[in-house]
Amino acid sequence: MAELTLAERLTLTTTRISAFQDGAQVGFGTGFFFNFKISDQQIIPAIITNKHVVNGCDQITVVCHTAKGSEPSGEFIPCHLDARPGAILAHPDPDIDLCAIPFGPILNQAEANGTPLFYTGLGFDIVPQDDDWQYFDALEEVIMIGCPRGIFDEFNNLPITRRGNTASSLSKLYGGKQEFMVDMACFPGSSGSPIFVYDRNGYLDRKTNNYHIGASRIQFVGVLYSGPLIASDGKIVLQQNPKIEVSSMMHLGNAIRSSQLHGIEKQVLARFSAVAPKSEDVGEVSFDT
C-alpha cells in the first residue's frame, strides 16, 4: 500500500458522531481526534466536538478504522463512548462551545480484543501560537472536514471535505471573541468540524515576507460551531391561514479558534495522572511538511 498523503491523513482525523440517550439516537455531529501531550512519551487521546453536539446524551458512537501495522486495514468497527457529564471535559468558559471525550480506554480495549484501531490525531504542533495569528492574511483558503447533515462515505468510513475561504481575517478577533468566520457551505451536522489553512503548492510567509514556491503549509485554525440563518416567512393556505417560518443557510460559518483547546488541555492535565498511554501506542501522527 502506498504511503498515506497529507490530505489522506487529514481525512482520517475526523469522524461522525451519533449521540444517544437511553439507547435512542437524539442527534449527530462531527468530531475529530486530538492528542493532548502529557510528556515526551505520554499523551491523552480524545475526541473533540462542540458541547451542543453531546448535550443531553449519555453515549456517543463513532466508527473507527482498524489498524494493519501502521496503516488503516480497510475495515472498521463501531465504538461506544461514555458521554455523561462526568465523563466529558468541557471547556471551562461557558461561551466557548468545545469539549473533549477521552478516547484512551477505547483504544486499550480494542488492543486487548485483538482489533487495534487506526486514527490520525491532531496536536498543538499545527495550532498557531499566540504570536502567529497576526501573520495570517485577510483572506486565506481553508478546508473543512466533517459530516454535513450526517452525510459521510459509509462504504469507506470517510468524512466529507469542503473548500472555501476565510470570511473574516484570522488575524483579528471576530466580534471581539476568539472566533472567525468562513465562507463555505456549513450545515447542521458540520458542528465540530476542524478547519485548516491548507496550501498545497506554495504560500507567502508573512513573518519573513518570503514566498515558498511548491511548498505546502498546514495549520489547524478552528472548529466550526454555528452559522447564521436567514429567516423568511412563508404561507400555507388553509382555513386559518397559519404562518410558518422557514430558515435558510447563508453559506457562512462561525468557528472557534483552535488555540482555545488550551482551555481543555488544563483540565486534561488536572484529571489524568502521569500514567497514560504511550504516544507510539495510540497512533500519534506528525504533520511536518
Side-chain angles (χ1 to χ4, degrees), residues 197-214:
V197 170
Y198 180 32
D199 300 304
R200 302 181 64 179
N201 300 306
Y203 65 95
L204 173 65
D205 184 345
R206 296 186 69 203
K207 183 182 290 188
T208 62
N209 207 32
N210 291 323
Y211 192 86
H212 297 269
I213 300 174

Side-chain angles (χ1 to χ4, degrees), residues 71-216:
E71 301 288 338
S73 69
E75 300 179 353
F76 26 89
I77 57 175
C79 298
H80 311 289
L81 289 80
D82 187 357
R84 291 171 293 181
I88 292 176
L89 294 165
H91 195 287
D93 187 334
D95 294 327
I96 296 180
D97 193 0
L98 290 175
C99 68
I101 302 104
F103 191 61
I106 295 294
L107 290 168
N108 294 335
Q109 180 180 341
E111 185 78 31
N113 292 342
T115 54
L117 302 180
F118 179 92
Y119 76 99
T120 302
L122 300 174
F124 285 114
D125 57 322
I126 60 169
V127 171
Q129 298 184 16
D130 290 345
D131 189 55
D132 292 335
W133 291 95
Q134 64 180 305
Y135 296 110
F136 284 112
D137 208 341
L139 179 67
E140 297 278 2
E141 293 187 356
V142 292
I143 62 170
M144 180 174 70
I145 304 175
C147 305
R149 296 199 180 277
I151 297 171
F152 79 126
D153 179 357
E154 297 191 41
F155 184 80
N156 295 293
N157 190 38
L158 291 173
I160 302 301
T161 303
R162 316 200 83 154
R163 178 175 290 277
N165 55 263
T166 54
S168 70
S169 176
L170 288 175
S171 65
K172 302 185 185 303
L173 301 180
Y174 180 75
K177 300 179 180 180
Q178 295 288 332
E179 299 179 6
F180 60 93
M181 292 197 76
V182 291
D183 180 7
M184 64 172 64
C186 302
F187 292 94
S190 295
S191 293
S193 298
I195 299 171
F196 303 91
V197 170
Y198 180 32
D199 300 304
R200 302 181 64 179
N201 300 306
Y203 65 95
L204 173 65
D205 184 345
R206 296 186 69 203
K207 183 182 290 188
T208 62
N209 207 32
N210 291 323
Y211 192 86
H212 297 269
I213 300 174
S216 60

